[in-house]
Amino acid sequence: MTKTVLLLSLLISGLAFAQEDLLKDIDTIQTKNTDTSQPAFKALQIVTGQSTKLAAKNEWYIVVAHRFGDVSKGFKDFFGLDDASTKLGAIYGATDWLSFNLSRETNQKTFEGGAKYRLFRQSENFPVDVVGYNVLAVNTDLKKDNYPHLQFGDRLSYLTQALISRRFNDDFSLQLTPSYVHKNLYDPNIEDKNQFLAGLGGRYKISKRISINAEYFVNFDNHSFYKNPLSLGMDIETGGHVFQLLFTNSQINSDIGYLTNATGKWEKGQIFFGFNLYRVF
């Protein structure tokens, strides 16, 4: 009887110590999980502008982006369906903090290659996510008939952005996006060679799988012919991909074209309906 009581005592003591160790492990895991916030955005774009979300390591994304024509033209152009611009692209996550992308758009037959990289992550000790984004674009639509002295370097333009976001809670996130664009070939009568922009975008979750998004960029090119891009969108999460529906005054899908070549006026109904479709593998 004494031996039985002794064995039971040892067993209970062992279980107690094991439970205490397990609880310590759980506390440690919980501390680690709460130290780093979840991503501020579910999609890689807020609307057309980039978000601070990155592709995970070894993930491949296929991107299809489509912008119909000006809806204000009415039934004549079937509310924009007759005049569309499409972008096809791919994104690869080289690491959890670095991804590369390549795309081609029908408007101006533009190829873009870019790199997106995380500099800081929002945590208990740091208030925001900070991500860098760089793009090189090649306009292959330029012809020597129009530009007799055209060289390859004239086709190039560049974009540098700092993406700074904060996830305030499960439903609401904001992002500030200072941007710089340089164009090798430009028309000085309607735009500057070097352009500085500041963007503000946000996401508000209205259900488990749907959020409302918005973004606006101010271009400090004072004599630009083009408009400041303003876009409204909706994210719909459907299994392996995020589907984005949107309205914008900038028909171009490419990063640089979207920011610097917006032509529509919201107050006159000159807006473009479109969508972004991301499929991850």
Side-chain angles (χ1 to χ4, degrees):
M1 181 68 179
T2 304
K3 292 182 178 180
T4 302
V5 171
L6 180 60
L7 287 172
L8 288 174
S9 300
L10 291 172
L11 180 60
I12 292 170
S13 299
L15 289 173
F17 283 118
Q19 184 178 20
E20 183 178 355
D21 291 339
L22 181 60
L23 290 173
K24 287 181 179 179
D25 290 339
I26 292 174
D27 289 341
T28 302
I29 293 171
Q30 288 177 342
T31 301
K32 290 180 179 178
N33 285 341
T34 56
D35 188 53
T36 301
S37 297
Q38 295 296 315
F41 298 92
K42 288 291 186 180
L44 300 177
Q45 293 172 274
I46 300 178
V47 184
T48 298
Q50 295 291 318
S51 76
T52 50
K53 179 179 173 62
L54 279 81
K57 183 178 180 180
N58 294 327
E59 275 187 347
W60 278 98
Y61 281 83
I62 300 299
V63 184
V64 180
H66 198 77
R67 304 290 183 270
F68 296 101
D70 184 353
V71 300
S72 68
K73 292 182 179 179
F75 190 77
K76 177 183 176 182
D77 291 328
F78 208 65
F79 300 97
L81 294 180
D82 293 342
D83 181 23
S85 178
T86 302
K87 181 177 79 171
L88 299 177
I91 300 169
Y92 174 65
T95 70
D96 285 332
W97 60 269
L98 173 65
S99 65
F100 298 100
N101 63 76
L102 180 65
S103 65
R104 200 272 192 185
E105 182 182 8
T106 57
N107 197 313
Q108 297 182 343
K109 300 179 181 179
T110 300
F111 287 88
E112 281 191 336
K116 195 174 184 180
Y117 44 94
R118 178 177 289 110
L119 300 174
F120 300 98
R121 186 190 291 272
Q122 180 180 334
S123 66
E124 291 181 352
N125 300 317
F126 199 78
V128 294
D129 277 336
V130 181
V131 171
Y133 185 59
N134 294 91
V135 171
L136 170 65
V138 184
N139 183 341
T140 64
D141 196 35
L142 297 173
K143 296 178 175 60
K144 285 198 172 184
D145 292 342
N146 299 325
Y147 302 94
H149 303 291
L150 182 70
Q151 298 180 5
F152 178 76
D154 298 326
R155 300 180 182 275
L156 304 180
S157 54
Y158 309 86
L159 168 66
T160 299
Q161 290 184 308
L163 316 175
I164 306 166
S165 72
R166 178 170 176 80
R167 181 176 184 265
F168 290 89
N169 52 50
D170 290 342
D171 298 329
F172 181 57
S173 299
L174 274 180
Q175 179 175 302
L176 179 65
T177 310
S179 309
Y180 166 70
V181 173
H182 172 86
K183 297 183 178 182
N184 284 349
L185 184 64
Y186 69 104
D187 184 346
N189 295 315
I190 61 174
E191 63 179 345
D192 286 337
K193 184 175 186 176
N194 300 300
Q195 300 180 35
F196 295 90
L197 305 95
L200 181 65
R203 169 183 181 267
Y204 187 79
K205 189 174 180 181
I206 59 174
S207 72
K208 184 177 180 180
R209 296 186 179 276
I210 297 176
S211 68
I212 300 298
N213 300 356
E215 66 188 15
Y216 179 67
F217 283 84
V218 177
N219 192 331
F220 297 104
D221 182 354
N222 293 323
H223 68 279
S224 176
F225 163 80
Y226 299 103
K227 312 304 177 186
N228 293 328
L230 169 63
S231 304
L232 303 176
M234 174 186 292
D235 283 4
I236 304 172
E237 298 177 51
T238 56
H241 61 267
V242 176
F243 187 58
Q244 297 179 301
L245 299 173
L246 59 97
F247 289 95
T248 177
N249 67 330
S250 184
Q251 187 184 21
I252 303 179
N253 291 286
S254 64
D255 290 292
I256 295 175
Y258 168 72
L259 293 173
T260 63
N261 293 93
T263 58
K265 298 179 180 179
W266 275 87
E267 66 274 17
K268 294 185 176 182
Q270 297 171 350
I271 55 177
F272 308 92
F273 172 70
F275 63 83
N276 302 323
L277 176 61
Y278 282 88
R279 188 68 173 91
V280 62
F281 296 93

